[in-house]
Amino acid sequence: MNVLATIFGLGAVALFVFSYQLKRRRSIILCNSASRVLYVSQYFLLGAFEGALLDIVAFFISLLCCGRENKFIKKHFVLTVILSNAVIIGIGMLTYKDIFSLLPIFGVVFETLGLWLKKERHIRFVSLAGAPFWLVYNLLYKAYGSAIGNVITIVSILIAIARYDIPRRKKCA
């Protein structure tokens, strides 16, 4: 069963890492959402139910983020973001076992909060803040494929920030 969990975890990692290399917001969100489906499968197989439930919630919130320009969401944007975070925190607290149960809550809050933002650079910076929480959680639950993926994700986001978000000086001829 751990082999299958590792396979799902590595697939999730590949999609998640790839998502931050994409240039457009919508592409980042859709690829990120697809990776969550694989993460959920992995966490269920490992018995890490906090992570699984929070990734289910994050999946649906990610899809909501794609509709950011929807008239209703646009009109009630702040309320939508607050309610989304309240749902994440509420679900996280329902599955609370110990202090380590807070790690995926913080990870998901940062990752989904980033997806609500319009500018891709802001998405990357805020999402980067969530990665360390997931790294520790994955190590605690022996989700080693995902832990390796968290390290790769951190590096990938930093590369994407360097590629797209840090202004480059023009070379003098």
Side-chain angles (χ1 to χ4, degrees):
M1 184 143 69
N2 284 341
V3 173
L4 187 57
T6 301
I7 291 168
F8 281 130
L10 292 173
V13 165
L15 286 174
F16 196 72
V17 168
F18 179 68
S19 73
Y20 290 106
Q21 291 303 314
L22 298 171
K23 192 166 180 156
R24 298 284 169 235
R25 178 181 181 277
R26 185 171 178 81
S27 300
I28 293 170
I29 293 171
L30 291 174
C31 193
N32 189 293
S33 298
S35 76
R36 295 214 183 263
V37 173
L38 294 174
Y39 276 123
V40 168
S41 302
Q42 172 200 235
Y43 290 133
F44 270 121
L45 289 171
L46 293 172
F49 298 114
E50 304 99 339
L53 286 173
L54 286 167
D55 263 333
I56 290 170
V57 171
F59 171 78
F60 287 109
I61 291 173
S62 296
L63 294 180
L64 251 180
C65 291
C66 272
R68 188 183 196 284
E69 298 306 317
N70 172 288
K71 191 186 256 186
F72 179 83
I73 292 174
K74 221 174 185 177
K75 183 176 180 182
H76 305 289
F77 179 72
V78 173
L79 181 61
T80 304
V81 173
I82 290 170
L83 286 175
S84 296
N85 285 329
V87 168
I88 292 167
I89 293 166
I91 296 289
M93 295 314 289
L94 286 175
T95 61
Y96 183 87
K97 283 193 256 179
D98 54 31
I99 193 77
F100 300 113
S101 299
L102 297 175
L103 295 170
I105 295 171
F106 291 133
V108 170
V109 165
F110 280 115
E111 288 171 353
T112 57
L113 191 57
L115 297 178
W116 282 112
L117 303 172
K118 280 186 175 182
K119 293 187 177 181
E120 292 82 1
R121 95 180 257 146
H122 297 149
I123 292 171
R124 285 187 269 276
F125 279 107
V126 174
S127 296
L128 181 61
F133 295 106
W134 279 112
L135 175 61
V136 174
Y137 180 79
N138 287 325
L139 289 172
L140 288 170
Y141 276 93
K142 298 179 173 117
Y144 298 122
S146 290
I148 292 167
N150 294 126
V151 172
I152 294 168
T153 297
I154 291 168
V155 171
S156 175
I157 293 173
L158 291 172
I159 289 169
I161 288 169
R163 283 176 65 197
Y164 299 123
D165 305 326
I166 297 175
R168 295 198 177 124
R169 292 183 186 182
K170 294 185 180 190
K171 294 181 182 180
C172 295

